[in-house]
Amino acid sequence: MFRSLGAVAVAIVAVVVGAVFLFSSKKPKVCLDPENFKQFKLVKRDQLSHNVAKFTFALPTPTSVLGLPIGQHISCRGKDSQGEEVIKPYTPTTLDSDVGKFELVIKMYPQGRMSHHFRELQVGDYLAVKGPKGRFRYQPGQVRVFGMIAGGSGITPMFQVARAILENPNDKTKVHLIYANVSYEDILLREELETLAEKYSSHFNVYYVLNQVIYSQVSDISTESV
């Protein structure tokens, strides 16, 4: 009698331990470390214009997530043209729902110290990253309407938050984005923004502000412009 009860108890413990292990093993691996820089391999580089590129970095496993809260950013470390260390904040355009990778859309300026590092970065190279960083952390339903103003490469943190809001079916927040640039060619993530505006037309509006307007170029913009 006691032996059978002991066997049952051992079996129950084994099942519980196995269930805990299985549950924990299915949790996505968070890759960021707020205290130490970690290296991530560049697996793809897409040149979007003469001075803008999209960099795709692989995470350790296909199911790993970066672990970046919405509204926060990462610190990237590199070397300038003089070989001196430089650290600059960037916001990925991907979310944790994009498992196994993260992407950075970078505008590279002629005299930018970190811009030099990204210009030299080739597929197979590694980027040192630390995070999360930042004081703001968006919570679903935090506000009824989210107004955003961005200029140039400052669109990336706005895109991150807007995408997180719109792709969450439980978040009913409406987003209005004013996005300023010098010219039509300078509009970063334009296709992605217009896709969001078309797909979530009742909750997302984007307004373009341009210093230099050539109407033949902007006539095909499907979202609202000023």
Side-chain angles (χ1 to χ4, degrees):
M1 178 67 176
F2 289 109
R3 288 182 180 179
S4 60
L5 288 176
V8 170
V10 170
I12 292 174
V13 170
V15 169
V16 171
V17 171
V20 170
F21 175 79
L22 182 63
F23 177 76
S24 61
S25 65
K26 286 186 176 181
K27 287 184 177 180
K29 181 181 179 182
V30 173
C31 300
L32 282 177
D33 186 329
E35 302 298 331
N36 303 294
F37 280 97
K38 299 180 70 173
Q39 299 285 338
F40 297 95
K41 185 178 182 179
L42 179 65
V43 294
K44 189 178 181 182
R45 173 176 174 152
D46 297 307
Q47 199 69 32
L48 304 182
S49 70
H50 71 284
N51 63 350
V52 177
K54 180 170 69 174
F55 299 83
T56 302
F57 297 90
L59 299 179
T61 73
T63 57
S64 297
V65 298
L66 189 60
L68 184 66
I70 303 304
Q72 300 200 333
H73 58 269
I74 58 177
S75 293
C76 298
R77 183 178 65 189
K79 291 186 176 181
D80 63 15
S81 59
Q82 304 302 313
E84 296 184 2
E85 183 178 286
V86 58
I87 298 173
K88 189 174 179 181
Y90 291 97
T91 304
T93 55
T94 43
L95 305 176
D96 279 353
S97 56
D98 302 302
V99 296
K101 67 176 183 179
F102 73 93
E103 295 176 350
L104 297 173
V105 174
I106 306 294
K107 186 169 185 177
M108 292 161 281
Y109 298 91
Q111 304 303 320
R113 297 179 65 199
M114 195 66 186
S115 293
H116 170 80
H117 184 81
F118 277 105
R119 271 195 301 271
E120 299 296 315
L121 204 61
Q122 301 298 321
V123 172
D125 293 341
Y126 286 80
L127 179 69
V129 173
K130 181 170 68 172
K133 299 290 183 180
R135 297 180 180 179
F136 176 70
R137 181 179 296 195
Y138 177 77
Q139 300 295 332
Q142 188 171 341
V143 292
R144 290 189 301 106
V145 179
F146 205 130
M148 302 177 174
I149 300 177
S153 57
I155 188 61
T156 53
M158 306 301 178
F159 180 80
Q160 178 212 52
V161 175
R163 187 184 158 200
I165 291 173
L166 298 170
E167 293 183 2
N168 182 354
N170 297 317
D171 195 336
K172 306 304 180 183
T173 303
K174 293 186 177 181
V175 180
H176 297 280
L177 167 65
I178 298 175
Y179 183 24
N181 285 279
V182 174
S183 66
Y184 177 82
E185 291 85 356
D186 294 320
I187 301 176
L188 301 182
L189 300 171
R190 182 175 65 84
E191 291 184 5
E192 290 86 349
L193 288 169
E194 292 188 7
T195 297
L196 289 176
E198 182 177 353
K199 186 175 181 180
Y200 304 101
S201 58
S202 63
H203 283 75
F204 182 53
N205 289 303
V206 55
Y207 307 86
Y208 297 112
V209 180
L210 303 177
N211 285 2
Q212 302 170 5
V213 179
I214 300 176
Y215 287 98
S216 61
Q217 291 180 323
V218 301
S219 60
D220 64 333
I221 294 180
S222 59
T223 48
E224 300 184 53
S225 307
V226 293

